[in-house]
Amino acid sequence: MKTLKSSLIILASGGLLFLGACGGDKTSDTNTTPPPPPAASQPASSASATTSAATGAKGGQVVNSGAYHLEFVPEKESTGTHLDLYLQKGEKKEPVADAKVTAQVQLPNGKQQTLALKYDPEGKHYAVVFPGKEPGQYPVKVNADIKGEKVDGRFTFTQ
Ligand SMILES: [Zn+2]
């Protein structure tokens, strides 16, 4: 009993010592060596407005808008391109099931096509099949209306 108690005390004081040493280190560190910013890689990923920089949990393109997290996952199919949109809220990334989601697809001929995405409760995402087959780059603007709260994100897919 006695030995257990004293070892606990040693542990506790050790922790305090560690914390103290850590804080001391930090202050002296900033005085002597200013941290050099990694300038080489940062501007490319954060400065531009393109959405292709981040890859989400599903391997898609990610846009964060306010509390919302949009992830766009295009998948080629024989009849066109299957478009998946994961709409999630907050840090816990809870799926939002009751939004009105549309995708405005810019066609290679300059025209626009608007598609309504349907919620798939099993996959916890919104989905639609884009029926076009013409190869090219297709910019997409996804609009989500979550009980009047509007969120959008820009993505692209190729086919
Ligand atoms: Zn799907």
Side-chain angles (χ1 to χ4, degrees):
M1 205 50 186
K2 216 175 184 183
T3 48
L4 209 150
K5 215 171 195 180
S6 57
S7 66
L8 271 176
I9 289 161
I10 289 160
L11 267 175
S13 57
L16 281 174
L17 273 171
F18 178 74
L19 279 174
C22 207
D25 260 11
K26 230 176 189 175
T27 42
S28 65
D29 235 1
T30 45
N31 282 342
T32 50
T33 49
S41 62
Q42 262 189 345
S45 57
S46 59
S48 69
T50 52
T51 55
S52 55
T55 303
K58 313 287 177 190
Q61 300 156 45
V62 169
V63 168
N64 289 304
S65 177
Y68 294 97
H69 175 88
L70 288 79
E71 184 168 347
F72 179 75
V73 189
E75 227 175 279
K76 248 186 236 182
E77 280 180 6
S78 56
T79 52
T81 302
H82 180 107
L83 310 177
D84 278 348
L85 184 87
Y86 292 82
L87 178 61
Q88 296 157 337
K89 189 181 182 179
E91 274 177 34
K92 285 184 185 169
K93 301 212 172 128
E94 285 173 44
V96 177
D98 49 5
K100 263 186 241 169
V101 181
T102 55
Q104 270 180 293
V105 182
Q106 178 101 45
L107 306 179
N109 64 13
K111 285 187 181 168
Q112 276 197 353
Q113 190 170 346
T114 302
L115 304 158
L117 280 74
K118 272 197 186 142
Y119 190 68
D120 165 16
E122 241 172 81
K124 295 192 166 90
H125 65 268
Y126 296 82
V128 74
V129 174
F130 173 72
K133 278 186 188 169
E134 208 179 317
Q137 270 239 329
Y138 290 74
V140 185
K141 188 185 175 208
V142 173
N143 297 294
D145 184 329
I146 307 128
K147 292 175 184 163
E149 209 179 330
K150 300 229 163 66
V151 175
D152 60 63
R154 288 173 190 278
F155 309 93
T156 50
F157 68 90
T158 45
Q159 69 171 14

